[in-house]
Structure formats: C-alpha cells, structure tokens
Amino acid sequence: MKKALSLLLSCSLLTAALSGCGGGGTEPTQAASDDPSTWKVGVMLSGSPTDGGYCQQGADGVRAIEEKYDCQVAIIDSVTTADDARAEAENMAAEGYKIVFGQGGQFAEYFSEVAPDYPDTWFITNGGAVTGENQFPMCMSTEEGGYVCGVLAGLLTQSGVMGTIVSGDYPSFTKPGVGFALGAKSVDPNNVVKFSVLSASNSNEAYETIQSQIQGGADVIFPNADEGNSGAIKAVSESEGVYAFGVFGDYISGAPEQVAGNMMVDAPGAYVAAFESVMNGEASGEIQYLGMKEGIISFQWNEDFKATLPEDVVAQVEQTVEDIKAGKIDIPNEYDIGETGITEYFN
C-alpha cells in the first residue's frame, strides 16, 4: 500500500468572510479555535490516484479542499482489503484527522466499525448506505444528468431505440443509465432503451457493443464505461444519423457533429461541499445528496450542435434542468434502484 502525503501548508487564519461559504449562508458553529485550516483530512482509494477515473476523483477532491482551506491532506491509495481499510481509518482518527473520506461505498461498512470509537472524527463515503452519529455518505445524483440526456435523446431519436453501456453493475454506472431511460420514456413511453454491461472498461469491447446496438436500431447512445467511452464515441462517429452524449467527460471532439453534449460531475466540488457541511456544523448522520441544485451535476451543451436544434427542443431540455433543480421531477436514486433492481427500466 502506498501513501502520498501532502506537505503541511502554512495555516493562515481564515477571515470572517469565510463564514459565508457553503451551507446556504448559515453561520458556522465551529469555535474560533477550531480553525478549518488546522484540520487534517484524509481519503482512502481502492486504486491509483492517477487512474484518470473514479479513484482520481477522490484524490482531486481532497486536493480541492487543501487548495481552498489550506488543510493538511493525506491520500491513501490501493486500499483493497477490509483489514487495511479499518487499520488506515483507525490510524488517521487516532492521529487527530477531522475527516476521513472513503472513495467508494465499500468503505462504509469498514468505517462503521471504527467511527463509534472516534466521535471527534467524521467518516464520509462517496456512496454507500451506512450512517451514524459521525458517519454519512455523500451521494452524487448522477441520475439527474442522465435524465436530462434521456429527454434530449427522446427528442432526437428517429427509430425510437436508444442504447447505453456500462462497465460495471454498481450504482455509479447504473443510476445514470436508469435516469437516461426514464428521461427518454418521459418523451415517449414507447421508446426502447437497450442496456449492456461490458466485461471491463475496454475501448474495443465498447466499440463493438455500440456497433451492435446501432445495428439493432439504436440511433442515440449514452455510454458510461470510463476508458470504454472513447470506443463508443468512435463507433458513433462512423455511423451516420446516430447521436451520443459524453458521460463524465468532454467527448465532443470525438464526434463534433454527433455528440449533443456532456453529462458532467464536479467530484471535487462534492468533497468541498461535504467538508463545508462539517465546517459549518451542518453535517448529520444522514445521506447528503448532491445534484444539479447544488451545482455538482450539470449538462453541458455542444453549442454548435445546439444551434442546429429547433427552439422548442432546446427549451424543453433547459426546462427539464430547471424542473430537476426545483424538485419537480422524481428520479429514483441509487437506494431506490437498489430496492427494485434495474431490469424494469430497460427493454
């Protein structure tokens, strides 16, 4: 197991203006002596902090906190066993870490065995369902971004058939696809959404799977397969009359006339929001949902593509975003989906 510790930056006192950050304008409840710039914050990753994907999001998250608040941060990578996770969590808590993050829901169970013994430390996981007096998951509501893409897909499709691929069957992969399917079917309940799980995040397999979906009639594609996304976009670029979305990245350049836009997630922003909820005394042992309303999930247009669309299509997509922010559209989150399964959402 490798450890990457940042240098302790100079801990300048935060000004009174800092009290306006995060948490909807409420005043921080931390005492002046509990200056956040003196806090230590750690994150545990199951893989490399430079993987360009999920684990790097966690590393980037604590670095964003470090940059904003001059905290000391620790990045613990390649934590793959329960024993290691518990040991690392206990070590950091014993060393006075204010927050210990786990990048992945699997850390929730491990933290639950340590958290009760260290009430002055907050244990926060990206995903998971375990809560406690000093433990909660932050849940990035990527299903909201998927829903917006699905609405646009339902307006673009000529065949009434769409496709989505994932490179895993856990929530970070499945819930955006569920949102996509529901968005497409909100336009027309008869729309069909094909769903395929890849054996790995492999560009070649993604390319071949998307080609198969296109040959089966799909004319709008929503790929959520990490490194496989580039292969999926390549397949779309070779297929006239087929459109796609970038998922968790900017893929417009791969098919500028066919990628309608990107569904994006601000993972560092989610980490900062969770940190600020602790800093402001607002954290509780409840799931913290972070979506479009909080600015964590967004839909980014391909502006050139947008300019080719009828005004009423653009208006419907943008109204969907506003309705989601206002809580007018009910989209199942990962906990809802966990109870029902995903098969009912796809054809």
Side-chain angles (χ1 to χ4, degrees):
M1 183 183 306
K2 297 174 289 181
K3 296 185 180 181
L5 292 177
S6 73
L7 293 176
L8 178 59
L9 300 180
S10 60
C11 297
S12 60
L13 292 176
L14 298 181
T15 65
L18 191 59
S19 64
C21 296
T26 58
E27 293 294 321
T29 59
Q30 301 292 339
S33 61
D34 202 7
D35 185 342
S37 69
T38 67
W39 292 4
K40 294 191 287 186
V41 178
V43 64
M44 276 187 259
L45 316 174
S46 60
S48 168
T50 58
D51 67 353
Y54 188 71
C55 288
Q56 186 167 332
Q57 288 180 0
D60 290 346
V62 293
R63 289 176 182 136
I65 294 170
E66 179 184 42
E67 180 177 355
K68 187 170 184 179
Y69 290 108
D70 286 347
C71 299
Q72 177 184 355
V73 304
I75 300 170
I76 314 299
D77 66 71
S78 305
V79 182
T80 57
T81 70
D83 287 343
D84 284 345
R86 286 190 292 265
E88 293 290 355
E90 190 163 24
N91 287 341
M92 283 192 283
E95 291 172 9
Y97 276 69
K98 186 68 175 181
I99 303 175
V100 177
F101 287 98
Q103 177 67 355
Q106 71 272 25
F107 289 102
E109 290 291 342
Y110 313 150
F111 287 177
S112 69
E113 299 179 30
V114 177
D117 295 330
Y118 296 92
D120 294 330
T121 298
W122 281 94
F123 296 84
I124 305 173
T125 54
N126 185 356
V130 179
T131 61
E133 291 186 1
N134 58 328
Q135 178 177 351
F136 65 89
M138 56 182 182
C139 179
M140 287 180 270
S141 302
T142 54
E143 65 276 6
E144 296 178 353
Y147 189 95
V148 174
C149 293
V151 168
L152 180 52
L155 297 168
L156 291 174
T157 185
Q158 296 297 309
S159 66
V161 180
M162 285 141 276
T164 180
I165 59 170
V166 296
S167 53
D169 61 357
Y170 40 91
S172 62
F173 286 114
T174 56
K175 66 180 180 178
V178 167
F180 177 78
L182 290 172
K185 293 179 181 184
S186 74
V187 176
D188 183 346
N190 295 316
N191 279 334
V192 173
V193 180
K194 296 178 178 292
F195 177 80
S196 299
V197 181
L198 306 182
S199 62
S201 299
N202 180 276
S203 182
N204 290 333
E205 185 180 357
Y207 174 84
E208 293 170 359
T209 303
I210 291 302
Q211 277 198 326
S212 176
Q213 289 185 348
I214 292 171
Q215 290 167 3
D219 62 357
V220 188
I221 302 298
F222 183 80
N224 182 14
D226 288 339
E227 293 90 341
N229 286 357
S230 59
I233 298 299
K234 183 175 185 294
V236 169
S237 72
E238 297 172 356
S239 305
E240 186 177 354
V242 177
Y243 304 104
F245 296 93
V247 180
F248 299 138
D250 184 354
Y251 290 90
I252 293 171
S253 63
E257 297 181 356
Q258 294 166 275
V259 176
N262 301 308
M263 188 202 89
M264 303 294 281
V265 58
D266 180 9
Y271 269 75
V272 170
F275 175 93
E276 289 177 342
S277 72
V278 174
M279 180 187 76
N280 293 340
E282 298 169 349
S284 64
E286 297 179 356
I287 299 167
Q288 186 176 56
Y289 292 100
L290 299 166
M292 286 189 156
K293 179 181 178 181
E294 294 76 21
I296 301 303
I297 308 299
S298 62
F299 175 72
Q300 298 178 351
W301 283 102
N302 174 346
E303 292 295 337
D304 291 338
F305 186 91
K306 178 183 178 182
T308 69
L309 298 176
E311 291 183 1
D312 62 329
V313 169
V314 173
Q316 186 168 342
V317 172
E318 295 186 343
Q319 186 60 52
T320 299
V321 172
E322 295 307 312
D323 287 346
I324 289 173
K325 289 180 178 179
K328 295 180 179 179
I329 300 176
D330 185 21
I331 309 168
N333 58 44
E334 63 188 75
Y335 307 102
D336 300 325
I337 297 167
E339 293 178 358
T340 63
I342 63 172
T343 55
E344 68 177 85
Y345 300 103
F346 302 102
N347 303 89

